[in-house]
Amino acid sequence: MRKIFFFSALIFFSCASKNPLNPENIIDIKIPLEWELSVSESINFSENWWNNFDDDNLSLYMNEFMDENINLEKAMLNTRKAKQASVIATGNLFPSISISSGVVESEQNTAGIPTIFSTLLGQSSDEVTVFTQENYNLSLGTQWEIDLWGKLRQGRIATKQQYLSAKYFEDFLKLSLTAEASKLYFAIIEAEQVLNNASKKLKNAETIFELYSLRYNKGSISIQAYQQSKIIFNATKSDYNNKLLMVNSLKREARLLVKDYPSTEFLVNKNFPKKLPSIPNTLPADIVKRRPDLIAQQYNLLANKALDRQALLTLFPTFSLSGSYGSSSNDLEDLTNEDFSVWNKGLNVFMPVFNAGKLIANKRLAKSNREIAMLDFVNALLTAYKEIESGFESDLTSNQALEIINENIILSENIYNTTFDGFTKGSSSFEDAINANNALYDNLDLKARLEKVRIEQRINLILALGGGFNITND
């Protein structure tokens, strides 16, 4: 199974080019053995993976996001545009039929020039005889370029692949944007927890400052020490206000993403979810084939392959058939008379002889675009594996960091309680009590941040694997 996906995909999409673009020269790596093991779970993909967090507020928000987000709507419209381009290219394969009609009025006189000019030249209008004639015509015409070499068919193939590429890119954008929206939701949970910690931190600082103020009023501490303590207390209040501002900013951003007025009314859970979306312990190497961005890259590669072929065929002669049938008469009532029928048919041949090298340059441009598409696909494939490897490693690291911070919080609580008790008895200084208070809530803030990071790492892993999973044990 080694390199099974690399070579099955790349050889299929390989293009005639110079040696540096040979897939085997571009990719010369060994997939780790763990990618090749059989999967112990039955893998079922989950489209609405965010429901696996078991957070009703998140599910409601994501459903609204899917319906209202402007960027998702734009991606859908771009896909529609690509589809219509495919329809237009398909229509080029068939004859075009049109109906035309017209009326022409002509005037001729014996002077040979328009009447107004003959008058200016001194010729009397009585001496000029004017003849007026009207002509009516009605015809049905057709034109058809014979796709003898397949040039139009290659254009149709290219636009069809471009449409499919746009369609799968829309799927990828949907996955990517939902990932970012869910991260924003959990960022708000983190921000509110940090704000709550800042509120408790401020309350503790206020208690410590009040005790210190009593000592100042009794004359047991200097005014410099009192003023320094007030500066520290004011900094704690300023920190709380800044964190409140951050919460409101994130909530406004969340409302904006669902095309709503950017207010601060946004409902989230107080705590992070205990359950995270499951990821299989072992994955096959070709799991990246489900990633919509890679599928989009493959279709883009096929489209450029067809465009390269089409550019070559523009060097060949073009054959087209044309014809029309109708009638032409000086009297409108004679248009239906068969005696005034007019028809024609013909074969047109167009052969490029000299165009200052434009067609050759167009062919070389198409070939370069094809090679770029090949390199883009290879880069996207390798990047996919990098993201998966990094995602698994980051997922493990974030869990370990969370265990460490939980232990530090317990130690910080013990230190703060001991220090505050000493402060009330006069054995600990104001700075010691404030520092212990700050250290405790800094660790609580760090825990909230690590909880968010752990969830973000899991979301990034879901994104790297092309979506979520519903895992059932065999």
Side-chain angles (χ1 to χ4, degrees):
M1 292 179 59
R2 196 176 299 275
K3 303 181 183 176
I4 184 172
F5 177 57
F6 287 108
F7 295 122
S8 62
L10 292 177
I11 291 175
F12 179 74
F13 295 120
S14 62
C15 58
S17 182
K18 297 181 179 179
N19 291 333
L21 287 179
N22 188 315
E24 296 189 15
N25 293 336
I26 294 175
I27 301 179
D28 187 15
I29 63 173
K30 294 182 179 180
I31 299 174
L33 292 176
E34 55 264 28
W35 283 98
E36 300 177 323
L37 300 177
S38 60
V39 181
S40 59
E41 294 94 353
S42 176
I43 298 180
N44 295 314
F45 300 133
S46 173
E47 183 176 355
N48 298 334
W49 49 268
W50 52 83
N51 291 330
N52 294 330
F53 283 108
D54 287 340
D55 187 329
D56 292 338
N57 289 327
L58 173 63
S59 297
L60 288 173
Y61 176 66
M62 294 306 297
N63 290 336
E64 186 178 6
F65 178 84
M66 294 290 289
D67 293 335
E68 301 295 339
N69 183 256
I70 291 177
N71 289 327
L72 288 179
E73 292 182 13
K74 288 170 61 178
M76 179 182 64
L77 292 174
N78 285 330
T79 303
R80 290 180 181 176
K81 287 169 58 179
K83 184 177 182 180
Q84 296 310 313
S86 177
V87 173
I88 292 172
T90 301
N92 292 334
L93 292 170
F94 299 95
S96 61
I97 301 175
S98 60
I99 298 177
S100 63
S101 63
V103 55
V104 178
E105 182 179 6
S106 59
E107 183 180 282
Q108 184 179 3
N109 57 61
T110 54
I113 58 176
T115 307
I116 185 172
F117 293 115
S118 61
T119 303
L120 293 175
L121 294 175
Q123 187 173 12
S124 172
S125 59
D126 295 336
E127 300 175 359
V128 180
T129 304
V130 178
F131 302 93
T132 302
Q133 186 177 7
E134 294 180 345
N135 180 266
Y136 302 89
N137 62 80
L138 176 66
S139 64
L140 176 67
T142 182
Q143 187 169 358
W144 180 36
E145 180 178 343
I146 304 174
D147 195 24
L148 185 62
W149 318 112
K151 180 182 68 175
L152 298 180
R153 289 193 296 273
Q154 291 299 321
R156 179 194 180 192
I157 291 173
T159 54
K160 178 65 179 296
Q161 306 301 338
Q162 288 170 343
Y163 159 65
L164 293 173
S165 178
K167 180 177 180 296
Y168 280 99
F169 181 76
E170 178 188 349
D171 293 339
F172 172 71
L173 189 62
K174 184 183 300 181
L175 179 61
S176 178
L177 290 177
T178 52
E180 293 304 314
S182 61
K183 288 180 186 179
L184 178 59
Y185 175 87
F186 292 115
I188 295 175
I189 293 181
E190 179 215 4
E192 288 205 330
Q193 287 191 359
V194 169
L195 178 64
N196 185 49
N197 292 338
S199 176
K200 294 178 181 179
K201 178 181 176 181
L202 178 59
K203 186 177 181 180
N204 288 349
E206 185 176 7
T207 301
I208 296 172
F209 178 71
E210 288 175 353
L211 291 174
Y212 210 60
S213 298
L214 291 175
R215 295 179 185 179
Y216 169 71
N217 293 331
K218 292 179 180 180
S220 58
I221 60 173
S222 66
I223 187 172
Q224 291 84 0
Y226 172 78
Q227 289 174 341
Q228 184 65 31
S229 66
K230 190 169 185 178
I231 291 174
I232 296 174
F233 174 62
N234 288 337
T236 306
K237 290 195 293 185
S238 178
D239 179 63
Y240 172 82
N241 292 332
N242 289 334
K243 289 174 178 175
L244 176 61
L245 181 63
M246 177 60 68
V247 170
N248 290 336
S249 177
L250 291 173
K251 288 184 176 180
R252 290 189 179 97
E253 179 66 21
R255 297 311 309 164
L256 185 64
L257 290 182
V258 292
K259 207 165 56 178
D260 201 356
Y261 183 81
S263 68
T264 58
E265 296 180 3
F266 189 79
L267 186 62
V268 297
N269 283 354
K270 293 183 179 180
N271 300 313
F272 288 101
K274 296 180 179 180
K275 178 184 176 183
L276 300 185
S278 299
I279 299 294
N281 295 326
T282 316
L283 293 169
D286 60 354
I287 188 68
V288 292
K289 288 196 295 185
R290 71 185 287 233
R291 282 183 50 146
D293 59 326
L294 278 180
I295 300 175
Q297 289 279 9
Q298 291 175 0
Y299 280 119
N300 181 58
L301 185 56
L302 287 174
N304 280 278
K305 180 181 177 181
L307 290 174
D308 185 24
R309 177 66 178 171
Q310 185 185 45
L312 174 64
L313 296 175
T314 57
L315 299 172
F316 294 11
T318 300
F319 301 88
S320 60
L321 296 175
S322 62
S324 66
Y325 177 80
S327 59
S328 177
S329 173
N330 294 334
D331 295 321
L332 181 61
E333 61 184 15
D334 292 333
L335 282 180
T336 58
N337 192 329
E338 294 183 359
D339 294 336
F340 294 90
S341 298
V342 178
W343 61 272
N344 66 73
K345 58 183 178 179
L347 172 65
N348 300 318
V349 180
F350 174 79
M351 177 66 184
V353 176
F354 175 77
N355 49 41
K358 290 189 294 184
L359 295 180
I360 297 296
N362 185 60
K363 173 64 181 72
R364 291 174 178 172
L365 178 62
K367 181 181 179 182
S368 297
N369 288 335
R370 180 180 177 181
E371 293 173 347
I372 291 172
M374 179 67 172
L375 292 174
D376 286 341
F377 172 71
V378 172
N379 183 65
L381 183 61
L382 292 175
T383 301
Y385 278 109
K386 182 203 73 172
E387 291 173 350
I388 294 173
E389 294 283 1
S390 299
F392 275 118
E393 184 177 8
S394 300
D395 194 65
L396 178 62
T397 302
S398 61
N399 286 322
Q400 294 173 345
L402 198 57
E403 294 176 1
I404 294 173
I405 194 60
N406 285 329
E407 182 179 353
N408 288 345
I409 288 174
I410 295 175
L411 296 174
S412 298
E413 287 178 341
N414 293 333
I415 292 173
Y416 171 73
N417 291 332
T418 302
T419 305
F420 182 75
D421 184 60
F423 176 74
T424 56
K425 295 178 181 179
S427 59
S428 298
S429 66
F430 175 81
E431 289 78 7
D432 291 337
I434 285 294
N435 290 337
N437 180 54
N438 291 343
L440 170 60
Y441 285 101
D442 286 346
N443 281 322
L444 289 172
D445 289 349
L446 182 57
K447 179 183 178 180
R449 190 170 300 111
L450 289 175
E451 291 250 32
K452 184 197 71 171
V453 168
R454 184 173 73 110
I455 291 175
E456 286 182 345
Q457 297 296 350
R458 183 57 57 90
I459 293 174
N460 289 338
L461 190 52
I462 289 172
L463 181 61
L465 293 171
F469 301 87
N470 290 321
I471 299 178
T472 59
N473 295 326
D474 291 336

